[in-house]
Amino acid sequence: EVQLVESGGGLIQAGGSLRLSCATSGFTFDDYAIAWFRQAPGNKREGVACILSSDGVTYYADSVKGRFTISSDNAKNTVYLQMNSLKPEDTAVYYCAATHYRDYIIRFFSTGVFDYWGQGTQVTVSS
């Protein structure tokens, strides 16, 4: 029933830009926080950006502040991640995830336990 489908990944040169999309269905979009996580080989999964759909409040990992922007189109139940000034260290599989807004802050910054997950999209940044 619940689906999160990522798209927009690919191979790009350092300094370039990509826009990831997460199309969602099967849950009440405005009651959830939507986040992007990423995981590179040998690394732990880390939260990249998070948005509270109901009011547009956003959070970012320090490593991407000033370069990445998360946004939502509530009419389309879709979340985007605009990635600018990409670096090789941004290379990872990027996952879209959703969790109820009630405890989304602790889930994003600490536990990483979200209700629903997409399958991921690969982003590779070459030097």
Side-chain angles (χ1 to χ4, degrees):
E1 160 96 320
V2 173
Q3 283 194 301
L4 289 81
V5 181
E6 303 97 331
S7 61
L11 175 64
I12 194 165
Q13 293 183 348
S17 298
L18 283 175
R19 180 177 180 257
L20 305 184
S21 298
C22 175
T24 75
S25 61
F27 62 94
T28 304
F29 190 80
D30 288 345
D31 290 340
Y32 281 74
I34 314 295
W36 290 94
F37 292 81
R38 68 185 181 186
Q39 187 165 25
N43 289 3
K44 61 180 176 63
R45 188 181 65 202
E46 64 172 334
V48 176
C50 184
I51 185 167
L52 184 62
S53 302
S54 60
D55 63 8
V57 173
T58 60
Y59 300 90
Y60 296 93
D62 289 342
S63 59
V64 307
K65 285 180 180 177
R67 299 189 298 121
F68 291 10
T69 303
I70 189 170
S71 62
S72 66
D73 184 337
N74 290 16
K76 296 181 178 180
N77 292 346
T78 299
V79 171
Y80 305 95
L81 185 67
Q82 179 67 46
M83 305 184 294
N84 299 328
S85 301
L86 283 162
K87 306 174 180 179
E89 51 263 45
D90 295 318
T91 296
V93 177
Y94 284 71
Y95 299 92
C96 182
T99 194
H100 195 273
Y101 71 85
R102 195 162 190 171
D103 59 353
Y104 77 96
I105 294 177
I106 191 68
R107 290 177 181 269
F108 178 72
F109 285 105
S110 182
T111 70
V113 177
F114 271 48
D115 296 334
Y116 310 113
W117 292 83
Q119 294 300 305
T121 185
Q122 176 71 47
V123 172
T124 302
V125 185
S126 64
S127 59

